[in-house]
Amino acid sequence: MPVIVSGQLTTSASYIGYDSLLAASDGTITASTEAEGYAAENMGDWRPFTWWQPTATGDSWARVSFASARSVDYFAVAAHNLSSSGSTIKLQYSTDGGSNWSDATAAAGGAQDRVISATFDAIAAADWRVLVNNPSTIASVGIAAFGTKLDLTKAPKAGYSPAALSRRAEYTTNESSTGLFLGRSIERTGFPGSFEVDYLQPSWVRSKWEPFVDHAELRPFFYVWDSSLYSSEAVLAWTNGSIPPAQYDTVWSMKVSLKFNALR
Amino acid sequence: MPYDSRKTELGREPIQVVEIDLDYCANSFGVQAAFEAVGGALAFGSGSRSLAALSSTDVAGYDSSAGTLGAYRFDGSAWAVVTSLLAIGGSATAASMCALDDHTVAVWDSATDTLRTYETDGLAWSAVGSGVALGTFSNIRMASLSASDVAVIDVYNRRLRTYRFGGTTWGAVGSYLVLPAGSMTVAALSSTEVVVFNGNAGTLRSYAFDGAGWAAVGAASTVPTTAAPAVAALGADTLALTGDDLDALLVYRSDGSVWAQSGAATDIGAEASISVAAMTGELLAVSAAGGDTIQAYAYGSLNCTASGTAGTECYNTRATCQDPANYNATTKTYRFCQARSNLPVGVNMIPAIEGSVSHAPTSTTGGKGLGNRAVVKIQLNDHAWHDRDVDPYVATRPYDPETTGTYAGKLLARNPYFEGRELRILNGYLDTPFSWDNFRTEYYDITDMAGPTGGKWLIQGKDILTRTYESKAKYPAASTGELLADITAAAASATLSPTGIGDDEYPASGVLSIGDEVMLFTRSGDTLTLTERGAWRTVADDHSEGDTVQVCATWDAANVLTVLRELLVEGAGIPAAYIPDGAGENWNVELSNWLSSASVTGILLKPEGVESVISELSKQFLFDIWWSAVDQEIRVKALSPEPSGSSPATLSDAYSLLAGSVGVRKDSKARVSEVQVYYGKLDYTEKDEPTNFKALYISTDPNSAGADRYGSDSIMTIYSRWIVLKEQAAQLAGRLLARFVDTPSVVSFAVDIKDEDDIRLSERVILDTAAIQGVTGANEPTAFQVTKITESAIGSTLQVEGLSSSFSGRYCFIAPDGTPDYSAASADQQAAYGFICYDSGVFSDGTEAYKII
């Protein structure tokens, strides 16, 4: 359990995953199989409504190859049905052009088809692949991202509500003329969230945060508020308004904040 | 959980999905098709042979070396002999055969020089009638023109001639035509046209038969030369041809004047004495000496001759097609949905719908003409798109589609031809597991797609009945033929111009109009025989060269639903499948119960808007018509009282009617105290006005207009050009008066989706609500005819409008034979059937008498 010291969670296991080698313009993507309309590239387009879907049970892979080694230290998957399909997914890499593959992560299915996330010590390789094992039912994977994570260096400020626990639902309720409950339907659900991180190095804000802002203005990202204890509460998030500017909270430190909607 | 049991929407999350089907080409850019061998081969023949297609699976095969005839069947994977072999001649060096129908062939072989008919019962073959010698022992080629006629080429004598089988004997018909020399074969393109493949000359040329002789049509087209040609017609403009030294199957298409190769050649190996027969337009049976087998070849549908560098391909849409002649039309479905955080994984749909689908539903009028057509509008958010699954050649484009343009901008540019294409609205729930079974689909025509503007774009659809709009459909279709020369008022014939227009546009007989005169006619070619001048009470008159000769639509005592069907199907081009007139279906039920005596007599002299004619019929024969978007049916409902024994659902304040939703008002303009029906139109060329009708029928209720009641008359006047019988006019007036003699109430209310099954457009429901009270202040349950249903909150709430059903009294059906007297009849029988009561106007149990309407 994190310990609160001076209003700040001591854990520094918060990170944002937005670097995605599957979205890199210089990578070459291939796949063992692809169903029509379910290209492997869809995993890298940050759209949670387009999918990669292989056509065969057993092991299937989607590979991205580069001319030179790329460093990866996180892997996250969203908008999938691996768990309900009884399937698993893991990230592998090859340093010999694809002849031999090593696991970067353990195989995981993700409880209730929620976001899967994993971190590991940085690995450099030119060939990476997502390996899905579909024992019987073929699963679809909407977003799979791996690359270099953005460590937030500080945890969110106290009072933070994990987005994965912040379910919001809007309802329509019908009552009869005499007041009897007749029916209710859900109009929409979602997982809104926000965080604020302060006491950040100004140089970090300029070199790390600003590139992320460039990405977040256009595309979703993974937010893992505590990868050490609550990696299962990772979410795929997208901003729902302008990203507030970073502010100096002391003469030597800055703070950043973000509001977003998410799916878990 | 099926969608139609939405009584359990509790806790479910509704979602709307929109699908549009836009044109799409099934071909691949620059990929040309060829035949491919399918299934296995079967040993057949040992020398010369001939095949003739009997059906899509069967061919007759004549092995002239063995002199045997048999039938062979291809099941998609293998051939099998399905009849015993009949020995019909000696060993011959040449043979020819064609099929007269699915069990009869005409066969000629050089051993006997006899053309003879054979038929099979599916088990064996037998000769029919006698044969005829064709006078050559060299080579004959034949193609079937009809079930009795064949086109015969005597190759040695170069003669093309028609032979006819009269049931017992064969005989020549008309004269023969001498053809250019060469090794020839022939295929029939129609009942009067053949194409001759001259192998030595390397030409294809069409010939037409006019009943007396053959004549060349157009010029010859160049094809590869071959010593022993073989050809089969795949369609009226498509041929498959081959020959001894071609070693390939080639497809040739005609643009009407020139034959040209289409697609790639199919290697069939070094074969000789080849015979081909087209079982369908895309399936050939081929047999040849060499392999001595029979083999099926299927023709691929992909055939694009466009050429271009990578990146310049089309987008497989008609507007971007670079080979329109081979555009292979099919459709591609684009699917959009409302944005939700829990969209089903693996279901391709773009969450671009902003808000919900705007839906102005169809409405009915209670027999006062066509109501409103349903209109749906979908506003969508535009966005960047990678073009995967949209542009089949995205990988070769020289631009990055993700950063070039937007989804809607590109879609609309590539698909400008969207009008009339299918639009589907799917209302359902995001259940787990997701299933399309939880959705109910509504069908519309796309009427507009616009944008992108301000990051949005729009799709609009309307119901199928918009195809009847005057701008889209007129009936009868405008005729374009003109008089070739002046005719007098007494002329008994006329000639149409331009040449050939007769067969193109005019029936063999019927009714036509020239100016204000109607005539009955029969037709042969462009020549009209005018069998009656001044028909339909018009006056025979002189007419001039160039006057338009218009085909008329007429009905003489036709049932109104027959007329309606004709207007919809032939006038508006609506598929007959949308009309539920089968046994037990909507149209049939309404016909049996209420519209069997609705008789239409009249004429449409000139093209008129289909919608306006239908609206007239709706008002004068008292029925509603609407598009049921869910059932994909055009439904009708006669204006009628609720028959005794029926039990509309009751919706109450306590269990159904939503709080604050019930509103009731009186529609005083709809009240009628007297109905005047003018019928029996005198001059169809003049306007509908009182002096142009032979009779007037009046039905009135003077009491309703009395000072102690409504205090004034409200007269409805109808001019009917379709009613000629007094009984029909009386029925119209009586029903209208019974329906509207009391000022009808208009009600609006809302219910939870759980009550959806109880509310059907144009059907009745009973409202039990404090908004409608009796004189004591108690609720007075009242029947309303539903005129409009709007799903105001998708998957949750229905907004309903209705018109009070003011047929007073109880109505019934005629009782079947054997029904007992009223006092002995069961409650169900009393409820359903009519009985004669005492003079007092009540039955022995005090209940009121039945009414006849």
Side-chain angles (χ1 to χ4, degrees):
Chain A
M1 181 66 70
V3 178
I4 299 175
V5 179
S6 301
Q8 183 79 29
L9 294 175
T10 57
T11 177
S12 61
S14 293
Y15 75 89
I16 288 172
Y18 76 93
D19 181 28
S20 173
L21 296 190
L22 284 171
S25 59
D26 58 342
T28 301
I29 295 175
T30 54
S32 55
T33 60
E34 297 171 332
E36 185 177 353
Y38 295 84
E41 286 89 340
N42 289 339
M43 288 193 295
D45 68 5
W46 291 105
R47 293 181 172 96
F49 55 89
T50 63
W51 294 269
W52 170 50
Q53 188 183 87
T55 60
T57 55
D59 283 345
S60 298
W61 51 262
R63 170 181 172 179
V64 58
S65 301
F66 297 91
S68 58
R70 297 297 179 92
S71 181
V72 174
D73 61 5
Y74 89 96
F75 178 50
V77 181
H80 64 86
N81 58 356
L82 294 161
S83 176
S84 56
S85 300
S87 307
T88 60
I89 191 169
K90 62 183 176 182
L91 182 66
Q92 293 185 314
Y93 65 95
S94 173
T95 56
D96 58 6
S99 298
N100 296 283
W101 293 91
S102 302
D103 292 347
T105 68
Q112 298 176 295
D113 295 333
R114 293 183 181 178
V115 170
I116 298 169
S117 71
T119 59
F120 44 89
D121 292 339
I123 298 170
D127 292 282
W128 293 86
R129 74 177 187 181
V130 172
L131 186 72
V132 171
N133 179 264
N134 294 303
S136 55
T137 303
I138 298 175
S140 300
V141 179
I143 298 174
F146 48 92
T148 301
K149 65 183 184 294
L150 172 62
D151 286 314
L152 291 174
T153 72
K154 303 284 193 302
K157 289 182 68 173
Y160 168 75
S161 295
L165 305 180
S166 303
R167 180 183 173 89
R168 176 192 65 189
E170 297 173 11
Y171 306 99
T172 293
T173 302
N174 285 330
E175 294 180 351
S176 77
S177 295
T178 57
L180 189 67
F181 176 90
L182 295 180
R184 167 176 290 174
S185 57
I186 301 169
E187 291 183 5
R188 64 172 63 221
T189 60
F191 296 89
S194 65
F195 66 80
E196 180 176 322
V197 183
D198 52 13
Y199 301 110
L200 297 167
Q201 292 285 340
S203 61
W204 182 91
V205 170
R206 289 175 170 80
S207 64
K208 303 292 187 182
W209 181 255
E210 281 303 303
F212 161 68
V213 170
D214 288 342
H215 170 94
E217 285 177 342
L218 298 174
R219 299 179 179 84
F221 52 90
F222 287 98
Y223 175 59
V224 187
W225 82 277
D226 186 344
S227 63
S228 62
L229 296 176
Y230 300 109
S231 62
S232 63
E233 293 179 3
V235 293
L236 177 75
W238 55 94
T239 57
N240 55 5
S242 294
I243 300 173
Q247 295 178 306
Y248 277 94
D249 51 357
T250 70
V251 295
W252 50 267
S253 68
M254 298 184 76
K255 67 177 180 183
V256 297
S257 63
L258 203 62
K259 287 185 178 180
F260 56 83
N261 290 329
L263 64 82
R264 64 182 185 182
Chain B
M1 184 179 302
Y3 186 82
D4 58 8
S5 60
R6 299 201 291 184
K7 296 181 179 180
T8 52
E9 93 280 17
L10 189 62
R12 300 169 83 183
E13 184 171 350
I15 186 171
Q16 287 187 308
V17 177
V18 170
E19 293 179 339
I20 55 174
D21 287 347
L22 300 180
D23 299 348
Y24 196 77
C25 181
N27 293 347
S28 294
F29 184 84
V31 176
Q32 297 184 30
F35 275 99
E36 293 181 349
V38 290
L42 178 72
F44 171 71
S46 57
S48 180
R49 77 282 314 285
S50 183
L51 298 176
L54 299 170
S55 68
S56 60
T57 57
D58 293 1
V59 298
Y62 181 53
D63 178 354
S64 54
S65 297
T68 56
L69 173 65
Y72 302 81
R73 179 166 296 161
F74 182 62
D75 65 4
S77 60
W79 287 93
V81 185
V82 292
T83 65
S84 58
L85 301 181
L86 176 68
I88 60 174
S91 176
T93 56
S96 185
M97 178 168 62
C98 62
L100 301 176
D101 56 34
D102 63 1
H103 65 285
T104 312
V105 295
V107 181
W108 174 90
D109 72 88
S110 61
T112 61
D113 180 30
T114 301
L115 172 63
R116 193 166 190 183
T117 303
Y118 295 87
E119 67 178 6
T120 179
D121 60 3
L123 299 174
W125 289 89
S126 58
V128 181
S130 56
V132 62
L134 298 183
T136 178
F137 291 88
S138 175
N139 203 352
I140 290 290
R141 294 292 185 176
M142 296 190 298
S144 174
L145 299 170
S146 68
S148 59
D149 293 2
V150 297
V152 174
I153 294 179
D154 175 345
V155 177
Y156 179 79
N157 293 305
R158 302 156 40 199
R159 291 173 177 173
L160 170 61
R161 193 169 199 179
T162 299
Y163 281 78
R164 179 167 296 160
F165 182 62
T168 55
T169 59
W170 283 91
V173 179
S175 58
Y176 61 77
L177 176 71
V178 177
L179 302 175
S183 178
M184 290 179 281
T185 189
V186 62
L189 300 174
S190 70
S191 61
T192 58
E193 187 173 0
V194 298
V195 62
V196 175
F197 178 16
N198 187 320
N200 294 121
T203 58
L204 281 175
R205 191 167 195 183
S206 296
Y207 295 86
F209 182 64
D210 64 2
W214 288 90
V217 177
S221 302
T222 302
V223 295
T225 57
T226 177
V231 65
L234 299 170
D237 61 355
T238 310
L239 300 173
L241 60 87
T242 183
D244 279 8
D245 45 3
L246 293 179
D247 300 337
L249 275 172
L250 305 175
V251 174
Y252 272 73
R253 294 181 189 274
S254 170
D255 63 1
S257 59
V258 176
W259 290 91
Q261 186 176 346
S262 174
T266 301
D267 183 2
I268 59 171
E271 300 281 6
S273 296
I274 306 172
S275 180
V276 295
M279 293 187 284
T280 70
E282 297 180 344
L283 186 63
L284 285 176
V286 178
S287 181
D292 287 337
T293 59
I294 183 171
Q295 170 74 55
Y297 286 83
Y299 184 57
S301 59
L302 305 177
N303 185 44
C304 175
T305 61
S307 59
T309 57
T312 65
E313 301 91 343
C314 63
Y315 293 86
N316 277 30
T317 67
R318 181 63 183 81
T320 64
C321 181
Q322 298 172 30
D323 180 19
N326 285 313
Y327 182 76
N328 191 358
T330 179
T331 59
K332 180 177 180 62
T333 298
Y334 300 81
R335 183 188 292 146
F336 312 95
C337 66
Q338 294 174 305
R340 291 288 188 271
S341 63
N342 52 342
L343 291 177
V345 172
V347 179
N348 276 338
M349 48 189 180
I350 299 176
I353 297 176
E354 186 174 77
S356 59
V357 175
S358 170
H359 192 184
T362 189
S363 63
T364 57
T365 63
K368 287 190 169 182
L370 286 173
N372 296 319
R373 306 274 60 80
V375 179
V376 291
K377 293 181 181 177
I378 306 108
Q379 180 154 295
L380 302 104
N381 294 304
D382 198 11
H383 50 87
W385 192 244
H386 45 53
D387 270 4
R388 287 192 293 277
D389 200 33
V390 173
D391 176 3
Y393 316 107
V394 62
T396 68
R397 300 298 181 192
Y399 56 87
D400 176 11
E402 185 82 52
T403 58
T404 305
T406 60
Y407 182 91
K410 290 183 280 190
L411 182 77
L412 270 62
R414 297 165 187 169
N415 294 277
Y417 312 123
F418 51 74
E419 195 169 349
R421 274 59 168 181
E422 188 165 285
L423 162 66
R424 296 182 293 276
I425 311 291
L426 294 85
N427 294 310
Y429 294 102
L430 281 173
D431 290 344
T432 302
F434 178 83
S435 171
W436 288 114
D437 291 342
N438 296 326
F439 285 75
R440 188 186 64 183
T441 306
E442 300 174 6
Y443 298 83
Y444 302 94
D445 283 350
I446 298 174
T447 54
D448 194 15
M449 289 171 59
T453 302
K456 315 287 184 190
W457 63 294
L458 177 79
I459 303 172
Q460 178 172 290
K462 293 184 179 179
D463 78 37
I464 304 305
L465 285 175
T466 57
R467 298 183 193 180
T468 65
Y469 283 1
E470 184 166 353
S471 61
K472 298 175 183 288
K474 296 205 173 190
Y475 194 72
S479 303
T480 60
E482 300 173 350
L483 285 177
L484 181 65
D486 295 352
I487 61 170
T488 67
S493 66
T495 303
L496 293 165
S497 174
T499 302
I501 194 74
D503 287 337
D504 288 345
E505 291 189 7
Y506 294 81
S509 63
V511 181
L512 59 80
S513 67
I514 305 174
D516 283 344
E517 183 189 352
V518 176
M519 311 172 197
L520 309 188
F521 73 95
T522 61
R523 182 188 62 81
S524 176
D526 293 334
T527 302
L528 300 173
T529 300
L530 306 175
T531 56
E532 181 180 341
R533 299 291 302 268
W536 285 83
R537 293 193 289 274
T538 59
V539 178
D541 200 356
D542 296 344
H543 301 285
S544 304
E545 173 189 346
D547 285 356
T548 299
V549 181
Q550 173 64 49
V551 175
C552 303
T554 62
W555 297 278
D556 184 6
N559 184 270
V560 68
L561 293 187
T562 302
V563 178
L564 185 61
R565 191 182 205 283
E566 183 175 332
L567 289 167
L568 292 170
V569 175
E570 297 182 28
I574 291 174
Y578 290 160
I579 297 175
D581 57 358
E585 294 184 322
N586 166 254
W587 280 42
N588 225 327
V589 170
E590 293 301 306
L591 176 68
S592 299
N593 288 348
W594 304 109
L595 296 171
S596 59
S597 61
S599 177
V600 176
T601 296
I603 183 171
L604 293 176
L605 292 171
K606 310 292 182 188
E608 293 191 31
V610 170
E611 182 194 28
S612 63
V613 177
I614 291 176
S615 183
E616 270 185 65
L617 295 174
S618 168
K619 292 175 184 173
Q620 296 175 17
F621 294 90
L622 300 178
F623 61 88
D624 284 328
I625 175 173
W626 71 96
W627 169 248
S628 175
V630 172
D631 301 302
Q632 257 188 302
E633 291 178 346
I634 294 171
R635 297 205 157 199
V636 296
K637 176 71 177 177
L639 180 70
S640 60
E642 190 69 24
S644 296
S646 63
S647 52
T650 297
L651 304 174
S652 69
D653 279 339
Y655 298 106
S656 296
L657 300 171
L658 299 192
S661 71
V662 182
V664 184
R665 65 176 176 84
K666 290 290 186 181
D667 184 7
S668 56
K669 292 182 180 177
R671 182 180 68 85
V672 174
S673 63
E674 180 175 306
V675 179
Q676 300 179 352
V677 179
Y678 289 90
Y679 64 98
K681 189 166 183 176
L682 297 172
D683 185 347
Y684 284 97
T685 66
E686 294 296 327
K687 293 180 179 177
D688 291 344
E689 51 191 14
T691 56
N692 197 22
F693 289 87
K694 70 174 184 180
L696 167 65
Y697 184 90
I698 299 175
S699 183
T700 186
D701 183 349
N703 293 332
S704 73
D708 56 341
R709 293 181 64 184
Y710 292 106
S712 64
D713 278 320
S714 181
I715 301 172
M716 175 185 287
T717 303
I718 296 171
Y719 300 97
S720 179
R721 56 173 167 164
W722 306 110
I723 294 176
V724 295
L725 299 175
K726 180 178 180 181
E727 295 77 9
Q728 194 78 58
Q731 186 180 70
L732 168 61
R735 287 188 180 181
L736 276 174
L737 193 63
R739 180 71 171 86
F740 296 107
V741 69
D742 290 319
T743 302
S745 298
V746 177
V747 66
S748 61
F749 58 91
V751 296
D752 186 82
I753 202 78
K754 72 180 180 63
D755 292 317
E756 181 182 44
D757 292 348
D758 292 332
I759 300 170
R760 297 286 186 225
L761 193 65
S762 211
E763 300 290 347
R764 288 177 178 77
V765 293
I766 294 172
L767 296 193
D768 181 0
T769 171
I772 306 172
Q773 301 176 15
V775 293
T776 67
N779 291 357
E780 186 163 284
T782 304
F784 288 86
Q785 184 179 18
V786 175
T787 56
K788 189 175 182 180
I789 305 170
T790 308
E791 193 162 337
S792 54
I794 300 305
S796 175
T797 308
L798 299 177
Q799 189 72 37
V800 185
E801 293 181 18
L803 187 67
S804 61
S805 175
S806 66
F807 283 97
S808 58
R810 59 174 171 174
Y811 296 83
C812 57
F813 292 109
I814 302 297
D817 291 345
T819 304
D821 290 344
Y822 185 82
S823 57
S826 68
D828 286 346
Q829 288 172 322
Q830 290 177 353
Y833 303 128
F835 295 84
I836 306 300
C837 73
Y838 298 121
D839 292 344
S840 61
V842 295
F843 285 96
S844 56
D845 59 2
T847 56
E848 65 175 319
Y850 296 89
K851 292 184 176 180
I852 296 174
I853 192 166

